[in-house]
Amino acid sequence: MEYMSCPQAAKKWGISERRVQKLCEENRILGVSKIGYMWLIPKDAEKPKDKRYKSNKNVVL
């Protein structure tokens, strides 16, 4: 299996390197492993969905 680093995943997914690290820490990326200080992310891993939700801004008061 081939792996990529956090900076590579960040560039591929269009997010910050720190965000990729947090996703790894939270086990939100399948197949991720850590060797020393470096996260190894499978090259075929998909970007996790954003768990944030949007409020309904069309509510009339």
Side-chain angles (χ1 to χ4, degrees), residues 11-28:
K11 186 175 180 180
K12 178 179 176 182
W13 295 337
I15 57 177
S16 70
E17 182 179 345
R18 180 65 182 137
R19 183 68 186 135
V20 174
Q21 292 170 349
K22 290 300 286 179
L23 292 170
C24 291
E25 290 171 8
E26 296 169 359
N27 292 322
R28 299 211 18 229

Side-chain angles (χ1 to χ4, degrees), residues 5-6 11 15-17 19 21-22 24-25 27-28 31 35 37-38 41-44 47 49 54 58 60-61:
S5 64
C6 286
K11 186 175 180 180
I15 57 177
S16 70
E17 182 179 345
R19 183 68 186 135
Q21 292 170 349
K22 290 300 286 179
C24 291
E25 290 171 8
N27 292 322
R28 299 211 18 229
I35 296 183
Y37 65 90
M38 184 175 175
I41 304 162
K43 282 206 176 217
D44 60 349
K47 178 182 172 185
K49 294 201 181 240
K54 296 181 181 179
N58 296 329
V60 178
L61 298 176

Side-chain angles (χ1 to χ4, degrees), residues 28-55:
R28 299 211 18 229
I29 302 172
L30 295 177
V32 72
S33 59
K34 188 173 186 182
I35 296 183
Y37 65 90
M38 184 175 175
W39 289 101
L40 298 176
I41 304 162
K43 282 206 176 217
D44 60 349
E46 293 186 20
K47 178 182 172 185
K49 294 201 181 240
D50 194 346
K51 286 191 172 181
R52 295 178 294 181
Y53 60 91
K54 296 181 181 179
S55 63

